[in-house]
Amino acid sequence: MRGSKAGLFGRWLTPQEVEQPEGELSYTALADSGILDDGELVTGLAQEVSRNYLRPGELALVFDDLGAPEVADYLRINKFPSVVRTRHGDFGEIVTGALYRKVRRWCVPLLKLRYKQTANQAVQGTDVLAFRFRNEPPVVAVPEVKTRATRKMRLGEEAYESLESVLGRLDESLAFAMNRCAERGQGFLARRLADLIKNPQDRVVERHMVFVHDNGKWKDDVVELLAAKVTEPTELTVVKIDNLQEFVARVYQAAEQAVGQRSDQAGGAA
């Protein structure tokens, strides 16, 4: 995992030793491996943030002849959330999607944040949908994502209640993903998603939770409380990040600057 083939997320996050709780909850903790220097990590995550919000060619439609300051203003107003709580939630979804897609090798066909209508509002539905279409029957992972820079004892309970809610309306999220795939001309994926909707008896739904949490504020008693509540097999992953609030702010600032610089370079080349 230390080579370049592991990719940014495979080199950044490494498993920690944890004590497994009793019952149906499976617990994994991930933390910074120390392999990447700070600049490389922030730059790589900034690129991942940008691609989650921006469709290919989107900026060219708006800024074919403007420079970095105008692009940064556009991102702050229309794309990147200014409300800290919303930004943290988005960041948690971005990390989760990349973790499942790039490290755990699930199919994650939808970058949901591209479909925001308002920067500081969340997109409704499941946080992330991940699939193993080659399994028989196909498997759908439904990760409920919570991002916290401060300690909250009820975190697990809140995640459990949120997961129960989205599972009860899973077909709505599948239909949203199906329609977006159809719009992009991804007929194979759209048909596979349609099959999951039409034949719910022929799919396996896995319960997942991901907590992106400030490392210094995390305590495993949250896991113990959650384990006492969970009654079905559930996978919990905790991603621990040092100084989470400051770190997320730097990543988004780097994303604004990087997109603006690329626009300047494109304008110069033209």
Side-chain angles (χ1 to χ4, degrees), residues 197-222:
I197 296 170
K198 289 186 295 184
N199 304 298
Q201 73 280 1
D202 295 332
R203 70 194 188 200
V204 173
V205 178
E206 290 187 1
R207 306 161 64 91
H208 294 231
M209 298 180 187
V210 178
F211 300 162
V212 178
H213 206 282
D214 187 285
N215 190 19
K217 305 294 176 59
W218 174 258
K219 291 188 180 298
D220 278 348
D221 53 4
V222 173

Side-chain angles (χ1 to χ4, degrees), residues 31-92:
D32 193 332
S33 66
I35 294 174
L36 301 173
D37 63 44
D38 182 74
E40 183 181 2
L41 176 58
V42 170
T43 298
L45 288 174
Q47 293 173 351
E48 189 66 27
V49 164
S50 297
R51 72 182 296 269
N52 268 264
Y53 288 102
L54 296 168
R55 298 179 181 88
E58 179 177 350
L59 286 180
L61 295 173
V62 184
F63 293 108
D64 57 348
D65 59 353
L66 298 180
E70 292 86 356
V71 173
D73 287 343
Y74 173 80
L75 293 173
R76 280 192 291 267
I77 295 169
N78 297 288
K79 290 293 178 179
F80 296 165
S82 59
V83 175
V84 170
R85 180 176 179 179
T86 306
R87 180 172 286 196
H88 285 185
D90 286 2
F91 181 77

Side-chain angles (χ1 to χ4, degrees), residues 15-164:
Q16 295 186 309
E17 291 188 10
V18 297
E19 182 177 346
Q20 291 298 320
E22 295 183 2
E24 299 287 354
L25 186 69
S26 175
Y27 172 35
T28 300
L30 303 174
D32 193 332
S33 66
I35 294 174
L36 301 173
D37 63 44
D38 182 74
E40 183 181 2
L41 176 58
V42 170
T43 298
L45 288 174
Q47 293 173 351
E48 189 66 27
V49 164
S50 297
R51 72 182 296 269
N52 268 264
Y53 288 102
L54 296 168
R55 298 179 181 88
E58 179 177 350
L59 286 180
L61 295 173
V62 184
F63 293 108
D64 57 348
D65 59 353
L66 298 180
E70 292 86 356
V71 173
D73 287 343
Y74 173 80
L75 293 173
R76 280 192 291 267
I77 295 169
N78 297 288
K79 290 293 178 179
F80 296 165
S82 59
V83 175
V84 170
R85 180 176 179 179
T86 306
R87 180 172 286 196
H88 285 185
D90 286 2
F91 181 77
E93 292 186 21
I94 291 167
V95 168
T96 299
L99 176 64
Y100 276 75
R101 183 174 65 255
K102 298 182 177 183
V103 179
R104 296 177 174 175
R105 299 302 181 184
W106 289 74
C107 173
V108 182
L110 190 69
L111 299 179
K112 195 179 72 170
L113 297 179
R114 289 182 178 179
Y115 300 94
K116 278 192 166 200
Q117 292 184 315
T118 304
N120 285 312
Q121 290 182 347
V123 182
Q124 297 300 307
T126 307
D127 291 333
V128 176
L129 282 174
F131 302 90
R132 297 204 188 278
F133 287 116
R134 294 184 179 180
N135 286 34
E136 197 57 50
V139 181
V140 185
V142 185
E144 175 63 25
V145 185
K146 298 293 183 186
T147 307
R148 295 292 183 269
T150 58
R151 175 169 162 75
K152 191 170 188 178
M153 287 291 291
R154 291 190 68 251
L155 176 61
E157 183 178 347
E158 290 179 0
Y160 179 86
E161 293 171 354
S162 296
L163 182 57
E164 290 296 308

